[in-house]
Amino acid sequence: MAVTTPLMLMGCTVAPLSTLDPAGPHAGSIARLWWVMLAGAGILSALVFVLLALSFRRRATPGRAKAGVWIGALGLAMPVAVLGALLIYALLAGVATLPTPAADTVRIAAESRRYGWRFTTTSGRASEGVLHMPAGRPVDLAITSVDVIHSLWIPRLAGKMDAIPGHTNVLRVRADRRGTYRGECAEYCGIGHKDHGFTVIAHDAAGWAAWVGGGTAGNMGGER
Ligand SMILES: [Cu+2]
């Protein structure tokens, strides 16, 4: 385990679906949260093992400390302090991913079905299975479904958001650089779920203007 975990983490850094290789600020805050949670778990585990060792010492020398000290000060105060700090950090990280008003926001409708995705800009430009978006700008995906519940997830750009029939959820997505990314359905939706993915092409400003203006998908700044 001690050997395989670092190798797995190293492998993740080159994987197209790795949350530990973020390509935008929202995915970045989620990745930081993962590392902070790992550190918190490590600190808590270390403290528990220290207490365990002290308890064996105490058993060897009875009467040195009262039970209330162990249970109250260490058994309660220690996890409350660590978990409380992690809770506050997680709440702040969650707030940072919300679709707050921004002047240059682009809104794109994302409609899911078994087993495809259709993306439509406010100008009416639509694409099947490929999300075209601008890089370096906030993009609000208005997500819904025409059949069952799906979930839109672009691991390197943002967290997950459910696609619910008859309801629209908004997910803020942002890519720092132009490039090609991978999106998946993250909610089991039927026998074809494993193939219910899509490609994301984040364009530079010229490429995005060409796409919205009716250009073809090829040669518009989609390469990384
Ligand atoms: Cu699905």
Side-chain angles (χ1 to χ4, degrees):
M1 186 68 181
V3 174
T4 55
T5 299
L7 290 176
M8 285 166 59
L9 293 176
M10 286 169 63
C12 284
T13 59
V14 294
L17 295 174
S18 175
T19 56
L20 299 182
D21 185 21
H26 298 92
S29 70
I30 294 171
R32 273 191 302 280
L33 176 62
W34 191 91
W35 287 111
V36 168
M37 286 285 181
L38 179 66
I43 290 169
L44 210 47
S45 299
L47 288 171
V48 166
F49 281 113
V50 167
L51 285 181
L52 185 65
L54 289 175
S55 73
F56 282 115
R57 276 193 60 195
R58 180 178 177 273
R59 187 175 294 173
T61 55
R64 288 186 56 195
K66 293 199 163 46
V69 174
W70 290 88
I71 296 171
L74 300 174
L76 289 176
M78 181 186 77
V80 165
V82 175
L83 296 179
L86 289 177
L87 175 64
I88 292 169
Y89 186 88
L91 290 174
L92 293 175
V95 168
T97 66
L98 293 177
T100 50
D104 57 345
T105 302
V106 171
R107 191 173 175 94
I108 300 174
E111 185 184 85
S112 61
R113 65 177 187 281
R114 290 183 292 184
Y115 299 96
W117 297 89
R118 181 177 178 83
F119 302 97
T120 311
T121 66
T122 51
S123 64
R125 188 78 203 270
S127 55
E128 287 282 345
V130 181
L131 166 60
H132 294 270
M133 59 175 274
R137 292 173 65 179
V139 175
D140 283 351
L141 298 178
I143 302 165
T144 191
S145 168
V146 298
D147 43 38
V148 301
I149 296 177
H150 304 272
S151 180
L152 186 148
W153 189 28
I154 311 166
R156 295 190 65 211
L157 298 186
K160 302 170 185 172
M161 183 62 78
D162 277 354
I164 300 171
H167 182 80
T168 300
N169 283 330
V170 177
L171 175 70
R172 173 65 56 84
V173 174
R174 184 170 179 142
D176 285 335
R177 302 172 299 278
R178 74 177 196 173
T180 302
Y181 306 95
R182 185 68 192 159
E184 293 287 343
C185 174
E187 178 83 32
Y188 181 75
C189 55
I191 199 71
H193 170 69
K194 71 179 179 61
D195 297 318
H196 195 197
F198 56 95
T199 300
V200 181
I201 299 177
H203 297 282
D204 58 18
W208 173 245
W211 168 255
V212 173
T216 59
N219 195 27
M220 293 200 308
E223 297 304 315
R224 192 175 184 188

